[in-house]
Amino acid sequence: MSEVVITVRGEHETRIVPERAVAHLTIRAEGPERGAVVERMAAYSEPVRDDLASRKAAGTVTEWSSQRVSVWSERPWSPEGKRLAPVHYATVDFTASFTDFAVLSWWAGEVAERDGVQLGWIDWQLTPGARASVERDVAAGAVAVAVARANAYAGAIGLSTVTPLEIADVGLLTRNDSPESAPAPRMLMAKAQFAADSGGGPAVQLQPEDIVITAAVEARFTAR
């Protein structure tokens, strides 16, 4: 048998415990008077902002931010189909990053008791350095799978020498038809919703979910 071209795909996946968590919350106020609503939203926000600033100074919060205030009005409809007086709304979003998840649970339970605070979700994340390192390892694992498959295919038809020609992200291998674009490697960000706890102590129980990082490659080999 002469030279044979073998084209394969290799995939690899790993799961890793997150290193930090980014909590998202919104402070909201509403009412019939625009000025009073904005003032109330600011009053709700001030203790949260002060608390996060003190936690950052103490090192229990790595970073935090607050977005610009959003203010808008709506005129609701009555059950009889009549337009009612305008209702004004004001919101501001906060994010806070934690590396100690026990501290995060306690803080989330505490802040949830504040007036006007709506807890959103948590992004479980890796630090940029750790993420880059894991992505390199996962990409290398995907290539190793492709090589193993090529050798298995070659062995099945009685060939033993496999030489790589091309290795590419999925969709980027040279071909005559139009390629399908696809990323590699990629990280699936884990999220967790805040859940209330009816017991004492922190009102929120958090269980970090593993972050899944996947990679896929396509490879072409010659076998002799």
Side-chain angles (χ1 to χ4, degrees), residues 97-136:
S97 298
F98 295 80
T99 54
D100 188 325
F101 301 153
V103 171
L104 168 62
S105 293
W106 189 267
W107 171 83
E110 184 182 72
V111 77
E113 299 298 321
R114 298 179 182 270
D115 290 338
V117 174
Q118 298 176 345
L119 293 171
W121 69 95
I122 296 175
D123 287 330
W124 304 105
Q125 299 180 357
L126 300 175
T127 60
R131 183 180 61 209
S133 176
V134 173
E135 286 180 348
R136 285 194 298 269

Side-chain angles (χ1 to χ4, degrees), residues 129-201:
R131 183 180 61 209
S133 176
V134 173
E135 286 180 348
R136 285 194 298 269
D137 291 344
V138 173
V143 172
V145 170
V147 171
R149 285 179 176 172
N151 278 286
Y153 292 165
I157 57 176
L159 303 178
S160 59
T161 302
V162 175
T163 304
L165 294 177
E166 291 182 86
I167 297 177
D169 292 345
V170 173
L172 299 181
L173 201 65
T174 301
R175 60 185 65 186
N176 294 327
D177 56 340
S178 299
E180 298 178 0
S181 59
R186 64 193 184 102
M187 180 169 65
L188 305 181
M189 298 299 296
K191 289 185 179 181
Q193 296 291 333
F194 289 99
D197 186 341
S198 59

